[in-house]
Amino acid sequence: MKFKAGELTVEEGATIVLEDNNSPHLYTLLEGWAFRHKALQDGRRQVLNFALPGELIGLQLALLDEMQHTVTALTDTTLCVFHKEKIWSIFQDYPALAYSITWMAAREEQLIDSHLLSLGQRTAKERLANLILHLYDRAETVGYAGNMTLDAPFSQGHLSEALGITTVHTSRTIRKLHDLELISWTRDRIRILNRQALEKVACYEPVEATQRPMI
């Protein structure tokens, strides 16, 4: 069985998978950033999560035949393409690969748990501090961050939609973290100036960062 169908390059801003779509493929992200999001009919949008290399995109397509959210390329990305109709064969014939798929699904659930805790219980300042630490730790595992510096291709608007607050509130909250000398954000780069203090502000609970990419 040849499960991999090839590789695909997607430009920044392009849709990778669309809500309510039943594409014949699912993907793993090889290079670049993407983000998962869902919108109401009036256009209000919630960023559900950010995707980094090694992560699976479109498992809902393989198991439920329809996507319940959209995934958009945040930067130019490279994807590994798989045939979704062969998903059952993987569990029958390739247990190591099946374990990787299950691991990534459990990992995504873990990330969603953390995000829901922020939306439900953390203040705006705590949410932002937590999200910055969360993204830094995930990006560091794939070489997109290091030395307390994170290359950040997302805008304040993306953060606003992830945090569930207005862009104005997001801007003010970023300024608060600046004033406390916890972070420095210049254009597309975030630098953590005092990680210990930022973790305290965030009530940070690190999520296990070990990556098990599907090859």
Side-chain angles (χ1 to χ4, degrees):
M1 180 195 73
K2 185 179 180 182
F3 184 50
K4 180 177 177 179
E7 293 185 4
L8 176 68
T9 299
V10 179
E11 294 183 351
E12 174 186 346
T15 299
I16 298 173
V17 292
L18 185 65
E19 184 174 355
D20 297 329
N21 182 271
N22 59 354
S23 164
H25 301 117
L26 64 154
Y27 312 90
T28 51
L29 187 56
L30 297 179
E31 294 181 9
W33 288 73
F35 67 104
R36 309 171 195 270
H37 55 95
K38 193 173 178 70
L40 297 175
Q41 291 182 350
D42 61 8
R44 285 177 291 167
R45 186 173 72 173
Q46 177 70 42
V47 171
L48 305 173
N49 202 354
F50 295 89
L52 286 160
E55 297 182 19
L56 185 64
I57 295 172
L59 186 59
Q60 290 180 4
L61 285 170
L63 300 179
L64 304 177
D65 293 325
E66 189 174 85
M67 287 294 293
Q68 293 299 309
H69 61 264
T70 297
V71 182
T72 299
L74 194 56
T75 65
D76 291 346
T77 64
T78 302
L79 304 167
C80 188
V81 185
F82 300 95
H83 297 292
K84 75 170 187 178
E85 72 274 7
K86 293 183 179 179
I87 191 79
W88 178 241
S89 298
I90 291 175
F91 285 87
Q92 289 180 308
D93 304 324
Y94 298 86
L97 195 56
Y99 179 82
S100 290
I101 292 174
T102 306
W103 185 94
M104 283 188 279
R107 165 73 168 167
E108 184 64 25
E109 183 180 25
Q110 191 179 41
L111 296 177
I112 291 171
D113 288 348
S114 178
H115 190 48
L116 284 175
L117 176 63
S118 275
L119 292 176
Q121 298 300 325
R122 288 185 172 96
T123 66
K125 186 168 70 173
E126 290 169 345
R127 289 181 205 177
L128 178 59
N130 183 75
L131 183 57
I132 289 171
L133 288 165
H134 165 80
L135 291 176
Y136 176 86
D137 286 348
R138 289 176 60 201
E140 187 180 35
T141 66
V142 295
Y144 284 7
N147 298 318
M148 292 298 115
T149 300
L150 168 67
D151 291 331
F154 41 81
S155 67
Q156 290 188 22
H158 291 112
L159 290 190
S160 172
E161 291 173 336
L163 297 170
I165 58 179
T166 67
T167 52
V168 172
H169 197 176
T170 299
S171 181
R172 289 173 180 168
T173 307
I174 291 170
R175 194 175 307 118
K176 287 179 182 178
L177 295 184
H178 270 275
D179 293 343
L180 291 170
E181 298 183 345
L182 298 178
I183 68 165
S184 171
W185 190 345
T186 54
R187 301 189 66 180
D188 57 355
R189 181 163 293 179
I190 298 174
R191 185 179 174 199
I192 298 172
L193 303 177
N194 187 334
R195 169 140 191 163
Q196 186 175 6
L198 191 64
E199 286 186 1
K200 186 175 180 180
V201 168
C203 304
Y204 189 55
E205 296 181 353
V207 175
E208 176 59 43
T210 303
Q211 292 285 328
R212 185 185 174 93
M214 184 172 64
I215 300 174

